[in-house]
Amino acid sequence: MHWADVAAKALSHKGDKHIVSTGITPSGEFHIGHLREILTGDMIARAARKAGLDVEFVFIVDTADPLRKVYDFLGPEFEQFIGHQLGSIPAPDKDGNPDWVRFEKEGWTYGDHFLKPFLQALEQIGVRPRIIDNLESYKAGRFDQLTKRACDRADEIREAIERISSRELADDWFPWSPLDSKGSLDGVKVTGYEYPLVHWLDSHGVEGSSDISKGEGKLPWRIDWPAKWGWIGVTCEPFGKDHGAAGGSYATGREIVQILGHEAPHPLTYEWISLKGQGAMSSSAGNTVGPIEALELVPPEILRLLVAKSKPNKAIEFDTGMSLVTLADEYERLAARDFNSELADEDLTRRQRVQIEDAAGAMRMAVLEEGTTAEATAVTFRHLALLAQTKSTDQDVWSSLQKAGAISEPNQSLVDRLNRMRAWIASKHFPEEMKISILSHPNDAALQQLDQDDRPVVAALAQSLAACNWDAETIGSAIPQAAKDLGLTPKSGYRAAYAALMGKERGPRLAPILAEMRQNEIVSLLNQCALSLE
RNA sequence: GGGCCUGUAGCUCAGUCAGGUAGAGCGUCGGACUUUUAAUCCGAUGGUCGCGGGUUCGAACCCCGUCAGGCCCGCCA
């Protein structure tokens, strides 16, 4: 069973109606690590729907969280907003300074700035959650009753947090952080409480009162989370391994939510995504790949496959180089399989069966539109990379594929894929290994690798290519023919051609590439190679 | 200090919950396709299941210990 189906099954034991929730703080650039959170939730919801459950998928944007510090991408002016809520301060402009104009005219906030592009990415990747803005929810009084309960039973909550996380809370700790006279959550002392008011004294020596029912402040993180479970009615939530550890926020949350009068959701802890060779992704370290950037290179269904095929507790190493090609080709292979007929085989061992079921499940989760079946495009990533590099127009690419019988008319997903491929090729991420390049000088090392028998082919090839019509078809037949004329197999022709022209043992189809080059340069290169072999 | 996760073929991982002959994909190697050589198809190769004990007729799986990597007990997906 696929991991999402396992989670769905666990949910089905608890009832028929479910809310799967995810949440992210928009404190900086979103990266593909955040995508795992939301895709994990989306996949559980998908599996639950397939299991016949009534399920809603929500995404909570934690705009009520305060700005923790002046990040590297922010200008010094943001110093004044430390402790202020992300949904109530201006966004950084291009230079990292507060964009007051948009803030005042459009209400464009720090949270919006980072959230909006992420939402676009979600749309592209087929995730359409109900979005809940946390700050607005506070202001609308959604947290009111649960906050009242938390304040009324502050001692119980304090006891739970201290016992479970084995940390000591300050004497003046209170389960509500009021906003101070400047709008900050930092350094505010609670001096009294009578619902709905929490009285405070801030770091500027100002006294005031915070109205819980109007959201003039927020619950501290460890209570904020269970309170959300309560008022939204969350029954399942995936979260990063940081929250999942013993003593972590889920452990305290599951008890606190009971104090608040609700049940804890079914948990699912997932591992982080790291960038290959660079460790965990972190916005401050700058080693991130944003969801938008990733989607410019990778078809969304392939990004989905990456998450779908990895069990949540497995760390994922994301890599925009060769692994992407492997992953994309894996998608194509999987799409071409007929899992139902494979599973019909009675002789399968339990292991083989599980493996086929998991692959089928992963593909169900990977397709963009829920309930559809992936269709193989009949063009591998590798092949598309080749065509995109050798054909200057899209139409030439389609013609080549049509000629090969791979497609009749390109469908939309193939068109998208070609656009992404061109973006990938143009980006710094495109791997050297995939780049097609014809040598400008003989590569002696590669030539020496050639068998003695194959060496004469180089000279023969130089002659026949010098004489032939310079089109892909003619070149294509000249290469094997040159070998045959010498009593060798076509393979010898290719070996010689690759060694001489690309300095490799094998490579992509040569003829269409050569046809794009100048005939005299190719012939001259072959002649030089022939000379150096003598 | 306390706790969680991970460790299985060259690589990525299934299999551990319900103990029963070590599995897949990729890679590699070989063959076929006698002009689509990053393609496709066929075949082969490949593992003291981190290590040491214990329970058992039988352990990758359960128990105890141990090593290594990652993480949590302020904030982080």
Side-chain angles (χ1 to χ4, degrees), chain A residues 71-340:
Chain A
Y71 300 103
D72 292 345
F73 53 85
L74 296 175
E77 283 184 60
F78 271 93
E79 187 75 39
Q80 62 181 304
F81 297 122
I82 288 180
H84 292 234
Q85 294 176 295
L86 301 175
S88 63
I89 58 174
D93 63 16
K94 276 180 192 147
D95 305 318
N97 297 316
D99 190 342
W100 286 110
V101 177
R102 283 195 80 183
F103 182 66
E104 275 155 19
K105 281 193 178 162
E106 306 167 33
W108 183 252
T109 68
Y110 189 102
D112 295 327
H113 175 78
F114 293 109
L115 178 66
K116 286 286 145 52
F118 186 65
L119 293 181
Q120 283 168 18
L122 291 187
E123 179 62 32
Q124 278 189 57
I125 204 164
V127 180
R128 295 174 190 92
R130 176 179 133 214
I131 293 161
I132 296 177
D133 183 307
N134 211 34
L135 184 59
E136 282 175 18
S137 304
Y138 270 105
K139 288 182 174 164
R142 306 263 185 224
F143 284 86
D144 179 39
Q145 287 307 304
L146 289 156
T147 303
K148 177 174 187 296
R149 198 166 169 123
C151 292
D152 290 343
R153 306 175 75 167
D155 289 346
E156 280 176 64
I157 291 176
R158 165 198 285 271
E159 188 279 327
I161 292 175
E162 292 191 327
R163 170 170 43 81
I164 297 165
S165 73
S166 64
R167 61 191 265 236
E168 217 171 299
L169 296 175
D171 289 339
D172 58 358
W173 177 89
F174 192 75
W176 178 257
S177 303
L179 285 172
D180 73 4
S181 56
K182 298 265 168 76
S184 168
L185 293 164
D186 287 353
V188 189
K189 236 187 187 122
V190 171
T191 53
Y193 160 65
E194 42 190 330
Y195 180 82
L197 299 179
V198 173
H199 308 296
W200 50 260
L201 169 65
D202 73 11
S203 54
H204 312 286
V206 181
E207 285 182 309
S209 296
S210 160
D211 188 333
I212 285 170
S213 65
K214 292 178 183 161
E216 294 171 350
K218 81 181 282 280
L219 293 163
W221 159 242
R222 278 179 187 260
I223 308 168
D224 175 270
W225 200 19
K228 278 184 274 203
W229 296 338
W231 75 260
I232 297 170
V234 177
T235 57
C236 175
E237 177 145 358
F239 45 81
K241 60 175 176 178
D242 48 335
H243 295 311
S249 41
Y250 180 76
T252 51
R254 69 186 305 166
E255 276 205 28
I256 293 170
V257 75
Q258 284 174 15
I259 296 171
L260 300 182
H262 292 270
E263 287 302 305
H266 180 75
L268 196 147
T269 312
Y270 59 85
E271 255 285 354
W272 308 77
I273 295 183
S274 59
L275 275 189
K276 194 163 195 175
Q278 295 186 49
M281 232 170 292
S282 146
S283 301
S284 52
N287 59 342
T288 62
V289 172
I292 295 291
E293 188 186 354
L295 284 165
E296 277 166 6
L297 315 173
V298 194
E301 62 275 16
I302 285 167
L303 217 42
R304 289 188 67 109
L305 177 65
L306 179 68
V307 173
K309 73 169 196 152
S310 313
K311 299 220 302 192
N313 64 358
K314 290 285 181 183
I316 293 178
E317 270 201 354
F318 185 71
D319 165 22
T320 50
M322 281 311 289
S323 314
L324 212 54
V325 179
T326 313
L327 184 66
D329 284 349
E330 183 177 359
Y331 182 89
E332 288 302 318
R333 270 195 310 277
L334 288 170
R337 284 169 64 179
D338 178 355
F339 297 113
N340 287 333

Side-chain angles (χ1 to χ4, degrees), chain A residues 25-39:
Chain A
T25 303
S27 56
E29 206 76 56
F30 281 69
H31 49 70
I32 52 162
H34 294 108
L35 229 38
R36 188 170 201 176
E37 160 106 4
I38 205 121
L39 283 175

